[in-house]
Amino acid sequence: MKKNLSKLILGTELLASLLILGSIFIWAPVCDGLLTLQNGTMVHMKCFYTGQVSIVLAIILLFAAIVAFFSKTDHNKLQWVIIVIGIMIIANTFESVIGIGICKNTAMACHATSAWLRGSGVLVIISGLFDIFANSSKTNKLTL
């Protein structure tokens, strides 16, 4: 039963990575606008780069979840890596030390993408923590 629960949790992590990729490529793509600099060159807005980083993190998350899914041994250490990826996905949507951020204008399309990224990141963190605690309770069971 615990093994099936663990596989279900890893399935939610796979789903979260697919939600990230789907939101960026299909139903909530980031802004495709360009900024014109003073010298006349055009560059992408920061939401474009947030999307690119999120794609890379989602692919890493996808591979980590697949490895954990097919792992024959305990995968708690890999779950900690998955949790860190979830934190990075959320932090990437905020303009911070480790995040690129999105446009300040709330009417821009990247705010919908950001909501999908944050929701998927929370799903990854919760499922990772749940799997770690479910596996640790299995190994640290008290016998009476």
Side-chain angles (χ1 to χ4, degrees), residues 1-143:
M1 179 67 184
K2 294 252 186 196
K3 188 170 181 130
N4 291 337
L5 179 64
S6 182
K7 297 294 183 185
L8 180 67
I9 292 169
L10 292 167
T12 61
E13 292 169 351
L14 288 169
L15 175 68
S17 66
L18 295 176
L19 284 174
I20 293 168
L21 293 171
S23 67
I24 293 172
F25 287 118
I26 301 171
W27 58 82
V30 294
C31 311
D32 57 355
L34 298 171
L35 294 174
T36 305
L37 301 179
Q38 286 182 344
N39 64 3
T41 59
M42 298 183 80
V43 296
H44 289 283
M45 292 188 280
K46 60 184 171 179
C47 56
F48 171 80
Y49 298 107
T50 297
Q52 297 301 308
V53 169
S54 297
I55 290 168
V56 171
L57 290 172
I59 291 171
I60 294 170
L61 173 64
L62 182 71
F63 285 127
I66 289 171
V67 168
F69 190 83
F70 290 112
S71 173
K72 301 274 188 226
T73 61
D74 185 29
H75 54 270
N76 281 349
K77 292 178 184 170
L78 192 56
Q79 281 296 341
W80 285 111
V81 171
I82 290 172
I83 290 169
V84 169
I85 292 170
I87 292 169
M88 290 174 66
I89 289 169
I90 293 171
N92 190 34
T93 62
F94 295 106
E95 195 170 338
S96 63
V97 176
I98 60 171
I100 298 170
I102 57 172
C103 303
K104 296 202 185 300
N105 184 358
T106 57
M108 300 297 277
C110 56
H111 285 270
T113 310
S114 174
W116 280 99
L117 294 177
R118 291 175 188 161
S120 299
V122 168
L123 178 64
V124 167
I125 293 168
I126 290 172
S127 61
L129 288 172
F130 190 74
D131 192 34
I132 287 171
F133 290 122
N135 285 335
S136 67
S137 68
K138 176 175 65 172
T139 58
N140 296 334
K141 197 177 246 186
L142 294 174
T143 57

